[in-house]
């Protein structure tokens, strides 16, 4: 089932997600719906807040972004990032491992809005996976950027909060204001 997306201006996007205790059948169905929704809107990551639920759960699949490479290490061994996809992260903890790099980002909650965001290039990720078991890996490139963007969502942080100053043009500010206004009007 395709779930309705929440857009900038919807207060749920600013809510810190509650920790998920266990993967229930209801949650499994919700995860499946999140993947369907992400695919429909051609995203590479989707956080629960983006479909109206403030919990620490995100789904990721970077396989469609072929021109933006990712790296992966599991137990110190290099691995194929695609082998981890599709990826479910529950209660993720992200530790930066190296220097920040600048890169372009968008977000399904901000249609047609893009900007440069500086984030660590490589991170260690500890989380509960979709089957409820702990997972741990080190990733870089696009996957690291995506994991950080989505984990931010789970804490009510949005990419515009971290956007490079040079990306924050007057035009972008106007677009954001308009989107916020439209979202609030639609919620009334
Ligand atoms: Ni986003």
């Amino acid at each position: 089932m395709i779930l309705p997306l929440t857009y900038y201006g919807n207060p749920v996007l600013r809510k810190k997600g509650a920790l998920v205790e266990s993967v229930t059948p209801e949650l499994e169905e919700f995860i499946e719906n999140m993947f369907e929704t992400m695919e429909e809107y051609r995203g590479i990551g989707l956080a629960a807040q983006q479909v109206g639920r403030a919990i620490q759960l995100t789904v990721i699949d970077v396989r469609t972004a072929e021109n933006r490479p990712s790296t992966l290490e599991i137990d110190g061994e290099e691995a194929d990032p695609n082998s981890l996809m599709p990826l479910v992260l529950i209660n993720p903890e992200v530790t930066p491992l190296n220097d920040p790099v600048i890169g372009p980002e968008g977000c399904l909650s901000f249609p047609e809005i893009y900007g440069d965001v500086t984030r660590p290039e490589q991170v260690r990720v500890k989380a509960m996976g979709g089957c409820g078991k702990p997972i741990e890996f080190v990733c870089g490139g696009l996957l690291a950027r995506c994991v950080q963007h989505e984990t931010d969502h789970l804490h009510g942080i949005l990419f515009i909060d971290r956007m490079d100053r040079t990306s924050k043009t007057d035009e972008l500010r106007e677009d954001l204001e308009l989107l916020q206004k439209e979202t609030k009007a639609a919620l009334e």
Side-chain angles (χ1 to χ4, degrees):
M1 190 173 87
I2 292 162
L3 306 168
L5 287 178
T6 59
Y7 295 103
Y8 179 55
N10 187 319
V12 73
L13 287 175
R14 287 300 186 185
K15 275 198 190 149
K16 187 180 158 75
L19 287 172
V20 175
E21 311 246 315
S22 64
V23 181
T24 59
E26 186 276 327
L27 197 71
E28 276 178 353
E29 198 185 325
F30 181 63
I31 291 169
E32 212 168 287
N33 290 339
M34 283 180 72
F35 274 117
E36 261 184 60
T37 307
M38 182 173 77
E39 209 172 296
E40 170 76 12
Y41 290 96
R42 300 179 196 286
I44 58 167
L46 185 70
Q49 278 85 343
Q50 294 182 276
V51 286
R53 208 161 152 183
I55 57 173
Q56 302 262 331
L57 163 67
T58 176
V59 300
I60 289 172
D61 195 336
V62 294
R63 281 177 296 187
T64 52
E66 286 164 0
N67 53 345
R68 297 182 67 186
S70 300
T71 61
L72 178 67
E73 268 175 47
I74 298 175
D75 298 327
E77 302 270 326
E78 241 178 80
D80 177 5
N82 287 351
S83 68
L84 204 62
M85 304 296 133
L87 177 63
V88 179
L89 296 177
I90 297 169
N91 310 331
E93 285 172 37
V94 176
T95 315
L97 296 180
N98 61 4
D99 292 337
V101 289
I102 196 163
E105 286 186 25
C107 179
L108 293 181
S109 296
F110 294 79
E112 313 289 318
I113 290 173
Y114 303 92
D116 285 331
V117 181
T118 303
R119 301 186 188 270
E121 195 274 330
Q122 198 181 45
V123 292
R124 178 182 304 280
V125 183
K126 283 186 193 179
M128 178 161 57
C131 53
K133 291 197 182 115
I135 50 170
E136 184 176 345
F137 57 91
V138 169
C139 62
L142 181 65
L143 180 55
R145 180 169 291 280
C146 185
V147 165
Q148 292 175 85
H149 176 116
E150 298 311 326
T151 303
D152 272 353
H153 271 300
L154 305 184
H155 293 89
I157 300 164
L158 301 170
F159 82 130
I160 53 165
D161 305 339
R162 300 196 189 274
M163 206 181 271
D164 211 71
R165 278 172 73 181
T166 53
S167 290
K168 284 198 159 172
T169 57
D170 287 344
E171 200 191 331
L172 181 115
R173 280 177 218 279
E174 277 168 30
D175 288 349
L176 286 175
E177 243 169 70
L178 188 66
L179 175 59
Q180 199 169 30
K181 228 192 234 173
E182 281 172 0
T183 302
K184 283 183 178 160
L187 287 174
E188 269 165 20

